[in-house]
């Protein structure tokens, strides 16, 4: 039995309503832990005063420089003593999840036992970088909790100016849209950078994210310094049985308004079967006895919309791989940046392919470590120096897929033009 | 003299192999799935090339879970779902079952314990959110509470698939926006420059770092009351709060003047149009715990208008692109103020350089 609860009239109102309540969960924990009784006291104070009361500090585990988020209370009385002394320290352990966030119940139950013993009993699945967040432990217990979690085969994630914990989608484990082995890429890449995860020494954070198709369920283009997004080069695959089944359940209006009209490049056409073309870059499939879909794949940008709506009837091609985009991040400091294409397509089938992906990540991080200003993200660095300088340093050839349009201003010195053209021609000749 | 304490060295194992955590049918059919459909909201049925089928039942959680709740979910997984679960990026939990006959009993059990089943297809899924007052060192508001209050109202749409397209929401307790881009995002927007405690700056803050963090170069070193400190050119300051994390004595959070803004039209998927950033459409909403009624009403209003007006498969951004921003503000009744015209770098790209005007 824990000590008496503080009054929490504000938080009590978050126990009403049908959505699962974190307050009810905290109150359950508070029945046995003075720690959580006082946590509720401090949180209720925040709800009353509209102020936060945690400050950072330096807490870690032996051997690592990061992965713990230290929190010390700043809610003190006139004598400088914590008002809620039992939760004066409330540190979080960031722990890296398995790719795709799969668990068996035995593992989750062990997490619970460890965190009930050493921590508050509050666990978040998951934080915004993908970590399992074990929230709330005293300075003394952080090491004990980590030792037990680490013995289970789990390791701390990133914090501060480090390579951060990554996320990958459910992918090949359950999704038919998967264009590469996301889990393998995630694990192979991240486990190459364990030193940069555990010992923060980069100019600022660096995030990898892995999505298996252009639906980008991991939001990698907006939230990662290096986004690996699955795609394919050959034709969209078709299945006549499933296409006819889809059409039987829907209507011509839906096919026209929801798919034909929504194709971003208008390459998805509805035709009478007798008019359907054939050719090496055309996908076609009958949807009824009279009508068929025809897709000219050379005009298709692999947006996924038709495949999403007619799953099974249409599917990504078989020559699969990924597009790599670099430099995504949110506002601070120079404004939002999307990741932009640095590698239009790379295969990720073999161990050698994976090694190339790791090598690309390694070279980008090395360049970032050498050239970024303090607290500057990769995208901001590229904005400052220009994409071409970045590409040349990484020995990546320019590709027209890297731009939306060629430049719209003449502010460029082009006296190397002839040389560049000669190089391109020589390469073409060598390839022929 | 005591012997030095032997510290345990960490086992630097990194990301664990997920193979042993996969549901057996997922391990067996890895990379060999053919298609999926949704028998009902909250349930996905995936069919493998082998003919195997797996049903995934998705349920909402509070994300910040006590061990009792997690054990309850484990009990349900052991009883109905062969002891395996996974989590989605939006903190929903998924139970996988290999028999269709297990779907309904599992749903009944989840609902009985208060876990709503849904979040699939064209529904409003769980809100992607942050730590807030519970754990963050720089929060302007709470996260879990805002989410709980809003999801209580949106749970009906979580359990249905009746929106034009999927709806992703996020909340963030400062302008760093850890909640991320979304169809609708709720983000703290400070409206006053930081209040500086000059007694503490010299001891707590690395002043050149703080000066360098300011996006508009509004901070400069100064001597105040004989102590080295920092001062702000308040005519330049746009109240972003970037100086506060490296220098806590520059308090940006204010119970009254830290407001909430609403942003719409963020989309990370490449489906149809290219990915888009969200745009600010409202600000000045009060930070009003414990249930933030003004923010809830504003978000629900936008969702209601979107649901009524958008065509099938139009995400928030697609819908607004079709009807245009003037009609968006007209239909939602939101005021278009001068603060919504961008003046940051690259802002001319957001101006209307055409005579394309809908009358």
């Amino acid at each position: 039995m824990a000590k008496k609860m503080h009054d929490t009239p504000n938080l009590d109102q978050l126990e009403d309503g049908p959505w699962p309540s974190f307050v009810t969960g905290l109150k359950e924990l508070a029945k046995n832990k003075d720690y959580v009784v006082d946590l509720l006291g401090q949180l209720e104070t925040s709800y009353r005063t509209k102020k936060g009361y945690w400050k950072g500090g330096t807490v870690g585990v032996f051997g690592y420089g990061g992965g713990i988020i230290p929190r010390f209370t700043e809610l003190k009385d006139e004598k400088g003593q914590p008002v809620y002394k039992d939760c004066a320290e409330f540190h979080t352990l960031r722990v890296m999840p398995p790719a795709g966030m799969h668990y068996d119940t035995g593992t989750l139950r062990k997490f619970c036992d460890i965190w009930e013993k050493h921590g508050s009993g509050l666990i978040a699945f998951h934080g915004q970088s993908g970590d399992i967040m074990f929230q709330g432990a005293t300075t003394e217990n952080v090491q004990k909790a980590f030792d037990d979690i680490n013995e289970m085969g789990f390791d701390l994630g990133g914090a501060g100016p480090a390579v951060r914990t990554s996320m990958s989608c459910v992918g090949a484990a359950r999704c038919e849209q998967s264009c590469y082995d996301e889990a393998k890429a995630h694990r192979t890449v991240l486990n190459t950078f364990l030193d940069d995860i555990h010992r923060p020494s980069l100019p600022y954070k660096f995030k990898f994210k892995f999505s298996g198709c252009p639906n980008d369920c991991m939001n990698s283009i907006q939230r990662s310094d290096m986004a690996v997004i699955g795609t394919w080069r050959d034709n969209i695959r078709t299945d006549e049985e499933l296409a006819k089944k889809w059409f039987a359940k829907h209507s011509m209006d839906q096919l026209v308004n929801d798919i034909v009209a929504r194709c971003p490049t208008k390459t998805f056409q509805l035709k009478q079967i007798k008019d359907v073309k054939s050719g090496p870059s055309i996908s076609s499939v009958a949807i009824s006895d009279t009508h068929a879909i025809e897709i000219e794949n050379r005009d298709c940008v692999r947006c996924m919309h038709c495949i999403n709506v007619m799953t099974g009837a249409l599917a990504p091609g078989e020559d699969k791989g990924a597009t790599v985009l670099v430099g995504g991040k949110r506002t601070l400091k120079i404004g939002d940046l999307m990741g932009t294409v640095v590698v239009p397509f790379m295969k990720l089938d073999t161990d050698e392919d994976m090694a190339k992906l790791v090598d690309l990540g390694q070279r980008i991080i090395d360049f970032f470590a050498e050239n970024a200003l303090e607290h500057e993200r990769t995208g901001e660095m590229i904005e400052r120096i220009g994409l071409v300088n970045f590409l040349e340093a990484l020995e990546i050839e320019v590709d027209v897929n890297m731009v939306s349009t060629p430049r719209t201003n003449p502010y460029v010195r082009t006296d190397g033009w002839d040389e560049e053209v000669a190089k391109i021609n020589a390469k073409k000749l060598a390839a022929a | 003299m005591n012997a030095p304490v032997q510290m345990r060295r960490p086992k630097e194992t990194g990301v664990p192999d997920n193979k042993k955590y996969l549901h057996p049918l997922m391990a067996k059919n890895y990379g060999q799935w053919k298609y999926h459909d949704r028998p009902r909201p909250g349930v996905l049925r995936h069919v493998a090339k082998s003919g195997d089928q797996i049903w995934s039942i998705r349920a909402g959680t509070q994300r910040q879970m006590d061990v009792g709740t997690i054990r309850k979910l484990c009990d349900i997984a052991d009883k109905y779902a062969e002891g395996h679960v996974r989590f989605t990026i939006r903190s929903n939990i998924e139970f996988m079952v290999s028999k269709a006959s297990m779907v309904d009993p599992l749903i009944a059990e989840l609902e009985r314990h208060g876990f709503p089943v849904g979040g699939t297809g064209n529904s409003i899924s769980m809100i992607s959110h942050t730590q807030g007052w519970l754990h963050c060192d720089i929060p302007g508001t709470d996260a879990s509470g805002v989410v709980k209050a809003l999801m209580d109202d949106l749970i009906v749409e979580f359990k249905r698939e009746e929106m034009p397209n999927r709806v992703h929401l996020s909340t963030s307790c400062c302008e760093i926006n850890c909640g991320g881009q979304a169809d609708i995002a709720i983000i703290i927007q400070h409206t006053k420059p930081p209040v500086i405690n000059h007694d503490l700056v010299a001891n707590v803050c690395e002043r050149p770092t703080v000066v360098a963090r300011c996006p508009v170069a509004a901070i400069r070193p100064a001597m105040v009351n004989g102590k080295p400190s920092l001062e702000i050119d308040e005519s330049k300051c746009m109240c972003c709060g970037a100086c506060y994390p490296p220098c806590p004595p520059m308090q940006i959070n204010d119970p009254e003047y830290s407001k909430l803004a609403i942003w719409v039209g963020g989309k990370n998927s490449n489906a149809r149009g290219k990915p888009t950033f969200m745009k600010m459409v409202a600000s000045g909403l009060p930070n009003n715990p414990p249930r933030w009624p003004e923010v809830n009403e504003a978000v629900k209003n936008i969702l209601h208008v979107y649901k009524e007006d958008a065509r099938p498969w139009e995400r928030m951004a697609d819908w607004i692109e079709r009807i245009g921003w003037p009609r968006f503000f007209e239909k939602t009744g939101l005021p278009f103020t001068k603060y919504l015209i961008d003046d940051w770098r690259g802002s001319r790209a957001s101006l209307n350089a055409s005579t394309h005007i809908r009358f």
Side-chain angles (χ1 to χ4, degrees), chain A residues 79-227:
Chain A
K79 290 177 198 149
Q81 295 304 306
V83 175
Y84 297 103
K85 62 177 174 48
D86 286 316
C87 78
E89 299 168 350
F90 194 76
H91 315 312
T92 282
L93 277 72
R94 287 185 178 171
V95 173
M96 291 197 280
M101 295 167 172
H102 303 268
Y103 300 96
D104 58 46
T105 52
T107 300
L108 294 180
R109 287 181 199 280
K110 265 190 228 163
F111 283 159
C112 289
D113 295 345
I114 291 169
W115 203 237
E116 192 168 46
K117 186 173 168 196
H118 297 303
S120 70
L122 189 68
I123 311 177
F125 289 97
H126 298 81
Q128 288 301 329
S129 283
D131 292 285
I132 312 163
M133 296 193 296
F134 291 82
Q135 297 187 297
T138 59
T139 308
E140 187 194 350
N141 281 357
V142 163
Q143 183 74 48
K144 295 176 192 164
F146 169 68
D147 288 346
D148 286 358
I149 293 167
N150 193 210
E151 285 299 326
M152 286 176 67
F154 285 81
D155 200 357
L156 288 188
V163 170
R164 296 296 189 89
T165 300
S166 181
M167 295 167 104
S168 50
C169 58
V170 67
R174 198 191 60 198
C175 184
E176 69 273 14
Q177 327 289 33
S178 164
C179 290
Y180 66 96
D181 188 340
E182 306 82 1
K184 185 175 176 184
H186 173 171
R187 186 161 180 253
T188 306
V189 171
L190 264 280
N191 287 357
T192 305
F193 296 105
L194 292 178
D195 195 40
D196 281 318
I197 292 172
H198 294 139
R199 295 164 197 92
S201 57
L202 296 174
Y204 197 17
K205 64 182 91 168
F206 191 98
K207 296 186 179 184
F208 291 98
K209 289 196 196 307
F210 302 86
S211 285
C213 83
N215 282 323
D216 193 9
C217 289
M218 293 298 100
N219 198 344
S220 64
I221 194 167
Q222 293 162 335
R223 321 192 65 167
S224 66
D225 299 279
M226 180 164 154

Side-chain angles (χ1 to χ4, degrees), chain B residues 66-78:
Chain B
D66 59 293
V67 290
T69 297
I70 299 167
R71 285 175 180 141
K72 199 182 296 166
L73 290 165
C74 287
D75 290 343
I76 296 172
D78 285 341

Side-chain angles (χ1 to χ4, degrees), chain B residues 151-207:
Chain B
M151 286 314 290
D152 278 342
D153 287 353
L154 299 179
I155 190 168
V156 178
E157 297 294 354
F158 178 86
K159 294 163 109 172
R160 292 177 186 158
E161 295 182 351
E162 294 178 2
M163 298 303 287
N165 199 332
R166 68 195 59 220
V167 179
H168 288 169
L169 306 178
S170 78
T171 74
S172 298
C173 317
C174 78
E175 286 172 33
I176 293 171
N177 182 221
C178 296
Q181 294 276 337
D183 292 289
I184 303 182
I186 305 159
I187 310 177
I188 276 280
Q189 184 79 24
H190 305 294
T191 62
K192 299 285 181 202
V195 175
I196 306 176
N197 183 340
H198 292 290
D199 292 336
L200 298 180
V201 170
N203 286 335
V204 177
C205 316
E206 196 182 326
R207 292 188 302 155

Side-chain angles (χ1 to χ4, degrees), chain B residues 74-324:
Chain B
C74 287
D75 290 343
I76 296 172
D78 285 341
K79 192 166 168 194
Y80 297 94
E82 297 142 72
H84 292 270
V85 299
R86 70 173 292 269
F87 290 89
T88 72
I89 191 173
R90 314 194 82 74
S91 301
N92 297 312
I93 188 167
E94 290 181 341
F95 298 84
M96 277 63 66
V97 303
S98 51
K99 288 196 203 79
S101 61
M102 297 305 273
V103 173
D104 287 341
L106 172 55
I107 291 172
E109 183 84 357
L110 284 165
E111 298 272 3
R112 187 156 58 243
H113 288 285
F115 299 105
V117 172
T120 52
N122 294 344
S123 64
I124 298 179
S125 192
M126 166 61 162
I127 303 170
S128 161
H129 65 284
T130 55
Q131 304 279 23
W133 289 326
L134 180 67
H135 191 261
C136 185
D137 58 338
I138 55 170
T141 186
D142 197 28
S144 314
V146 185
V147 168
K148 159 70 178 157
L150 195 47
M151 286 314 290
D152 278 342
D153 287 353
L154 299 179
I155 190 168
V156 178
E157 297 294 354
F158 178 86
K159 294 163 109 172
R160 292 177 186 158
E161 295 182 351
E162 294 178 2
M163 298 303 287
N165 199 332
R166 68 195 59 220
V167 179
H168 288 169
L169 306 178
S170 78
T171 74
S172 298
C173 317
C174 78
E175 286 172 33
I176 293 171
N177 182 221
C178 296
Q181 294 276 337
D183 292 289
I184 303 182
I186 305 159
I187 310 177
I188 276 280
Q189 184 79 24
H190 305 294
T191 62
K192 299 285 181 202
V195 175
I196 306 176
N197 183 340
H198 292 290
D199 292 336
L200 298 180
V201 170
N203 286 335
V204 177
C205 316
E206 196 182 326
R207 292 188 302 155
T209 302
V210 184
V211 169
R213 289 288 169 88
C214 180
V216 291
I219 303 172
R220 54 191 173 228
M223 293 293 286
V224 181
N225 303 329
K227 289 181 183 165
S229 186
L230 295 162
E231 65 182 13
I232 295 175
D233 181 342
E234 296 202 353
S235 65
K236 278 189 187 171
C237 175
M238 33 61 162
C239 313
C240 69
C243 51
Y244 179 52
C247 189
M250 299 180 77
Q251 180 57 261
I252 187 72
N253 292 311
D254 183 280
E256 189 184 347
Y257 295 118
S258 292
K259 303 288 191 181
L260 288 150
I262 294 180
W263 300 62
V264 305
K267 172 177 91 90
N268 54 288
S269 166
N270 287 272
R272 300 169 304 285
K274 288 181 178 180
T276 54
F277 284 132
M278 56 203 184
K279 287 89 183 168
M280 187 195 279
V281 295
S283 194
L285 294 161
N287 185 15
N288 195 3
R291 295 194 75 98
W292 292 269
E294 298 84 358
V295 171
N296 278 16
E297 282 313 308
V299 170
K300 282 190 292 182
N301 171 45
I302 296 170
L303 286 169
H304 175 74
V305 176
Y306 164 67
K307 186 180 179 182
E308 291 294 307
D309 201 61
R311 293 177 185 166
W313 296 99
E314 279 180 341
R315 281 285 284 266
M316 186 75 66
D318 302 322
W319 167 60
I320 297 168
E321 189 178 310
R322 175 170 61 81
I323 68 167

